[in-house]
Amino acid sequence: MEIWLTRCGSMVPRDMKRPIFIYYQLDKFYQNHRRYTTSRSDMQLRDPKQAAAITEFCKPEAYAANGSPIVPCGLVAWSLFNDTYSFARRRGRGAHAEALTVIKTGISWRSDRGHVFGNHVFPKNFQNGSLVGGGQLDPTKPLSQQEDLMVWMRTAALPRFRKLYGRVEADLGAGELLAVAVQNNYNSYSFAGKKAVVLSTAGLLGGRNAFLGRAYVATSVACFALALLLTLLCLVFPMREEHLLLRGSHIGR
């Protein structure tokens, strides 16, 4: 089940059991652009001794004004999403508002925390230039603990995408009023994009994804149409006896 929060709040239509996952959605943001996806240095993210291992694709976010390398470098990290959300619920109209705690740990892939982002790699000179792209990073925490960065740097394949913001370990009942306070930091106006917040639960097969269902239906319809077309061709233009004789003689050779 999902709740779309494009305004300041919404009513819960049905019961939602914990954990409830919070996603932010962006439209018209092309993370799949070749120049964008290659603007990073995986060696630098993994090994503290490779801080200067900056590929040419990291430019213009490769070096600070003083000539020292930027960690993490590149446009992917530089454009880090930095809107923040806080949630509260009311169990009925006129009831007292109850704040919901958003858990921000465990939202990234375990392989990213263990292998892609190093335990001893710390941000340096990040967002210190004249042009700030997105969010800041805590310079006292290694990259392996900066989970918002890990989620963001798993680039999306489509211009409309969702990324996990956090989760709520509480049940929401049908009819409850859910309010969200948004700190609108991320500039989506410059590329005429849209932003939304989505709350979703996961079943035994994971979260809801309409793309696979639509793809399966479209493929099955195409296969059925092709089978129907071949059947009609066989009925309208049946194979004659001479065609079968020619085929048999060809196989006999």
Side-chain angles (χ1 to χ4, degrees), residues 2-180:
E2 295 181 350
I3 301 178
W4 287 63
L5 297 175
T6 54
R7 298 173 296 173
C8 296
S10 181
M11 180 178 290
V12 180
R14 294 194 299 269
D15 291 343
M16 299 181 71
K17 300 297 183 182
R18 71 183 73 180
I20 299 172
F21 299 99
I22 303 169
Y23 299 88
Y24 59 86
Q25 177 173 300
L26 280 176
D27 288 292
K28 298 183 180 180
F29 193 105
Y30 291 84
Q31 276 198 322
N32 58 350
H33 193 283
R34 182 183 61 84
R35 179 66 181 86
Y36 182 88
T37 57
T38 58
S39 185
R40 57 188 293 169
S41 173
D42 291 330
M43 293 178 58
Q44 185 197 63
L45 297 174
R46 185 169 50 248
D47 190 354
K49 297 180 181 178
Q50 301 293 332
I54 298 176
T55 63
E56 62 178 0
F57 299 109
C58 278
K59 297 177 180 178
E61 295 300 319
Y63 296 96
N66 58 5
S68 57
I70 298 174
V71 181
C73 73
L75 295 175
V76 182
W78 175 78
S79 59
L80 174 64
F81 187 82
N82 62 339
D83 277 5
T84 60
Y85 311 105
S86 59
F87 298 86
R89 67 177 179 183
R90 295 180 185 269
R91 300 184 184 273
R93 295 189 182 275
H96 179 70
E98 177 185 349
L100 296 174
T101 301
V102 179
I103 301 173
K104 300 281 291 177
T105 58
I107 61 174
S108 61
W109 289 25
R110 185 179 302 174
S111 58
D112 286 348
R113 297 193 298 269
H115 304 288
V116 180
F117 294 82
N119 294 325
H120 303 287
V121 181
F122 293 84
K124 296 179 181 178
N125 303 310
F126 187 71
Q127 303 286 25
N128 287 343
S130 58
L131 184 61
V132 177
Q136 298 283 346
L137 296 176
D138 189 347
T140 64
K141 289 184 178 181
L143 295 184
S144 60
Q145 297 180 14
Q146 313 255 12
E147 296 200 47
D148 284 332
L149 176 68
M150 299 182 211
V151 172
W152 178 256
M153 292 194 70
R154 279 204 165 268
T155 52
L158 299 174
R160 170 184 288 185
F161 59 85
R162 297 178 187 176
K163 290 184 181 290
L164 186 59
Y165 178 81
R167 69 182 188 276
V168 174
E169 292 291 344
D171 297 334
L172 296 178
E176 292 186 5
L177 298 176
L178 184 65
V180 55

Side-chain angles (χ1 to χ4, degrees), residues 228-246:
L228 184 62
L229 176 62
L230 293 176
T231 302
L232 291 175
L233 289 176
C234 290
L235 293 176
V236 176
F237 304 101
M239 295 185 67
R240 299 180 180 179
E241 184 177 355
E242 54 268 24
H243 294 158
L244 297 175
L245 293 175
L246 289 174

